[in-house]
């Protein structure tokens, strides 16, 4: 952190400030310029509150030169994190994980048909919502515990690990016991009570980026989970809110290389919620591989037009098979297997 003070600061005030930082275990480099004085703070500055420091009338500006996240930062953990789920190693540069399944679990027949279909085309993890975060309280809310049971049946039938979204901290124990990857949806990315509970879990967490969250906010949410003791976090870029209304969200592809540079955590792309349209899923999935994502999470339904949730963005099983063929074809260029 660099603190810039006015050149007019009284020496006694400057000495007191420097002394205060040193008492906090920080090294302080003082650089005297023509118009200002810069204090370079070296050490762990996370506990310093920049807004409070700015209340000091002698302080002009504060610049953070270190990310506020630590456990999620590549600087503190240069080697990449690989999260193993069933046969998938998410974060391993030689693999491209494909997570597929319906937006919501609807019936036993539906989830078994989709699970078998995506498995045959090459998915490595099955997705399916049992608790749905719907904008309207009148929309289908998911089958809840019954949905979870049906997902477990689909896992038993196919051998595919399951990922499903959690909304309430009260269900953390159940999810930790019953599912293979726990999804935190975009709307709950900053549900800090939930993140703290998930920090105590043994299962990997798929952390979706919030609707309007910056990359730093997203990584800070990962930090919440990791600081609780769970380092198995998979980030998921699922599109963000912008002024553009043609697509449901705007897929921020640039977030992938950015996150890869800033963090050691694996990152996957959700092309379904990004665009909101099934015909865009394929080009966005191919782009995800090209930009260096570790995989995709894609919505697939046996009959999209009758889906209870997100049918317009869901691929049918035939479209999913075509997508997998395309991904396999380009994967050789990127040295990845999928
Ligand atoms: C979902 O995966 O079905 C979902 C609701 O996604 P998001 O949280 O990204 O909107
Ligand atoms: Mn959905």
């Amino acid at each position: 952190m660099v603190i810039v003070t006015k050149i007019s600061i009284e020496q006694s005030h400057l000495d007191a400030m420097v002394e205060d930082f040193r008492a906090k275990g920080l090294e302080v480099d003082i650089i005297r310029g023509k118009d200002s004085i810069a204090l370079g703070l070296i050490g762990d500055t996370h506990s310093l509150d920049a807004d409070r420091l700015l209340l000091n009338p002698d302080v002009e500006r504060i610049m953070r030169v270190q990310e506020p996240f630590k456990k999620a930062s590549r600087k503190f953990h240069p080697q990449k994190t690989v999260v193993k789920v069933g046969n998938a190693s998410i974060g391993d540069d030689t693999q491209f994980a494909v997570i597929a399944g319906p937006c919501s679990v609807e019936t036993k027949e539906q989830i078994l048909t989709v699970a078998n279909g995506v498995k045959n085309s090459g998915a490595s993890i099955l997705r399916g919502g049992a608790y749905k975060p719907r904008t309207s309280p009148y929309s289908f809310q998911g089958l809840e515990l019954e949905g979870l049971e049906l997902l477990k049946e689909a896992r038993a039938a196919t051998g595919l690990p399951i990922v499903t979204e959690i909304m309430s901290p009260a269900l953390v124990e159940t999810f930790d016991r019953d599912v293979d990857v726990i999804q935190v949806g975009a709307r709950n990315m900053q549900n800090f009570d939930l993140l703290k509970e998930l920090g105590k879990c043994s299962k990997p967490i798929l952390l979706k980026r919030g609707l309007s969250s910056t990359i730093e906010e997203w990584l800070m949410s990962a930090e919440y989970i990791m600081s609780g003791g769970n380092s198995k976090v998979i980030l998921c870029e699922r599109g963000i809110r912008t002024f553009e209304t043609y697509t449901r969200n705007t897929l921020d592809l640039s977030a992938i290389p950015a996150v890869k540079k800033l963090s050691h955590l694996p990152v996957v792309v959700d092309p379904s919620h990004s665009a909101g349209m099934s015909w865009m899923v394929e080009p966005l999935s191919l782009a995800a591989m090209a930009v260096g994502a570790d995989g995709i999470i894609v919505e697939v339904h046996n009959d999209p037009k009758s889906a209870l949730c997100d049918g317009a963005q869901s691929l049918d099983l035939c479209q999913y098979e075509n997508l997998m063929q395309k991904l396999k074809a380009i994967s050789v260029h990127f040295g990845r297997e999928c």
Side-chain angles (χ1 to χ4, degrees), residues 103 127 132-133 165 183 185-187 208 238 270 273 299:
C103 178
R127 66 149 287 151
K132 295 305 303 175
E165 176 167 356
Q183 176 175 328
R187 289 152 193 83
K208 289 197 152 193
R238 46 80 70 207
D270 176 342
H273 292 87
E299 287 189 338

Side-chain angles (χ1 to χ4, degrees), residues 82-100 118 121-126 160-161 163 181 206 234-236 260 266-271 285 288-289 292-298 320 323-324 327-328 331 335-338:
V82 177
V83 178
K84 288 193 189 300
V85 186
N87 293 330
S89 293
I90 307 171
D92 177 334
D93 298 340
T94 65
Q95 286 198 19
F96 188 77
V98 181
I99 306 168
V118 298
S121 300
S124 49
I125 303 174
L126 174 68
L160 290 178
V163 53
V181 178
L206 181 88
I234 304 158
L235 300 163
C236 176
K260 287 271 166 199
V267 56
V268 300
V269 164
D270 176 342
S285 300
M289 186 185 281
D294 295 298
I296 49 169
I297 175 166
V298 54
Y320 179 69
L323 169 67
M324 287 306 292
L327 282 170
K328 282 177 188 155
S331 66
R336 294 200 177 234
E337 231 178 278
C338 68

